[in-house]
Amino acid sequence: MAASRYRRFLRLCEEWPMEETKRQRDLGSFLRQRVAQAFREGENTPISDPEACDQMYESLVRIHTNFYKNKYPRLKDTTFTGVTIEDCRIILATDILKQMEDMKKGTWRRLREKFSAKKPEEDLN
């Protein structure tokens, strides 16, 4: 049974899309890492709690297939602020978040980072 569970998770990982705009914060890459950790021995990995494993798989399938989005359709594709899904994707992109983080820094800190040979983390120690 562990072999079939492992194959199901692998198939789910293959189907799950990767979002390049969310480097190191993508649910697809996180899922792949967790499956690799959970099934270190591949098909021969012993599963201590098969029911929890099956429940986790079914939950991930519901997320992947947009089960609840289809079950409870929205009247509009915007939020109460009027922001669309595409706007949210753009705002949550790693590059944009990095730019916003840089904007939050003070002028003195930006200048120090620009002209300093050390990394900012080294200054804190």
Side-chain angles (χ1 to χ4, degrees), residues 39-53:
F39 292 97
R40 285 193 177 119
E41 299 173 27
E43 293 182 352
N44 299 326
T45 304
I47 298 175
S48 59
D49 191 358
E51 291 81 23
C53 181

Side-chain angles (χ1 to χ4, degrees), residues 52-70:
C53 181
D54 292 341
Q55 185 179 14
M56 178 66 72
Y57 174 77
E58 294 301 324
S59 296
L60 289 169
V61 167
R62 284 193 296 273
I63 293 171
H64 177 62
T65 60
N66 292 322
F67 177 80
Y68 292 106
K69 179 183 176 186
N70 297 331

Side-chain angles (χ1 to χ4, degrees), residues 7 11 16-17 39 50 53 71-72 83-84 94 111 113 121:
R7 281 188 238 117
R11 195 172 334 112
W16 204 288
F39 292 97
C53 181
K71 185 174 180 180
Y72 304 106
V83 178
T84 64
T94 302
L111 287 171
E113 287 176 2
E121 296 86 33

